[in-house]
Amino acid sequence: MFITNGGGEMERERAERLRRILKTKDIKEEDIILSHTPYKEYVEEYKEKRIMVIGRNPEGDIEIMKHYGYKNVVTLEEMVEKMPYAIPYSGGGGQGRGYIPIEKLKEQEKIHAIFILQNPIDWNEATQIMCDLVQGNGRMIQEKNQTETIPVYMCNPDMVYGGQFNIPRLTQGAFVEGYKAIFKRLYPKKQCNIIACGKPTDITFKYATERLKTEEPKDVWMIEDNPEALRGAVKAGWNTILVKTGVYKQGITQLDYQPTFI
């Protein structure tokens, strides 16, 4: 089984890519758990309700969520196109497809939750719309006396990842931390409800354990290059191997738990 905090694609696409890279036919869609695969667990709650999805490929993001079973999905990009005044310096400015006049905002269908598939390219745009929707309990209107807010689902708590550059790069966890800090500063009396899956969360490792159909955690071995992601496997009771080819740097990275092997 392959568990990754990567995403933004279908499980079958990742399986196909791995088959090509590893030159094998033995990897199936069911063997892949992407960062957002556990979003399948929330379908019953939001199946018919309108949700907003944030990622990097609007058409692909809608396809992923509808494949999981969500029926009423809108993207961040659609929201900005319909309400260009919400991001006045983004360059849109005009009245795009489905333009909503400001005076009609209260009549719009409520967004019941925000789901992040990947950290967005434009963090400012995403943070602004997220803050607006969450404080308005799903609507782009100011609600000063209302404390109830909609939840934000994230699927990659990692702050950084290892790449070609010699300094780790920021990813979704860093984006959400920025959003939380801004929201709490703007709306200190309102709840900032973040529900996280992806490694190392309990949600993802519980999902993986159920998929593995094993009753004995010590029968499972996990190989990982990110010490923080490996933490979930240690907590789940799995055997763990931390490799030195990613975020972990021997002599620099501090560990507060002990992998089975490094």
Side-chain angles (χ1 to χ4, degrees), residues 188-200:
K189 296 182 179 180
K190 298 197 177 206
Q191 184 179 11
C192 184
N193 184 14
I194 306 290
I195 299 170
C197 60
K199 298 180 294 185

Side-chain angles (χ1 to χ4, degrees), residues 36 39 52-55 114-120 130 152-156 172 175-176:
H36 43 70
Y39 282 171
M52 186 181 80
V53 62
I54 294 176
I114 297 170
F115 285 82
I116 304 173
L117 292 180
Q118 290 181 291
N119 56 304
M130 287 170 67
V152 173
Y153 291 82
M154 65 178 295
C155 59
N156 179 4
Q172 191 181 135
F175 164 68
V176 174

Side-chain angles (χ1 to χ4, degrees), residues 11 33-46 51-54 64-65 68-70 114-118 152-156 172 176 195-198 203-204 207:
E11 287 78 6
I33 298 180
L34 299 174
S35 60
H36 43 70
T37 304
Y39 282 171
K40 295 177 181 180
E41 298 291 287
Y42 305 107
V43 171
E44 288 307 309
E45 183 175 358
Y46 297 106
I51 61 170
M52 186 181 80
V53 62
I54 294 176
I64 290 168
M65 297 305 279
Y68 290 168
Y70 298 90
I114 297 170
F115 285 82
I116 304 173
L117 292 180
Q118 290 181 291
V152 173
Y153 291 82
M154 65 178 295
C155 59
N156 179 4
Q172 191 181 135
V176 174
I195 299 170
C197 60
I203 291 172
T204 286
Y207 185 87

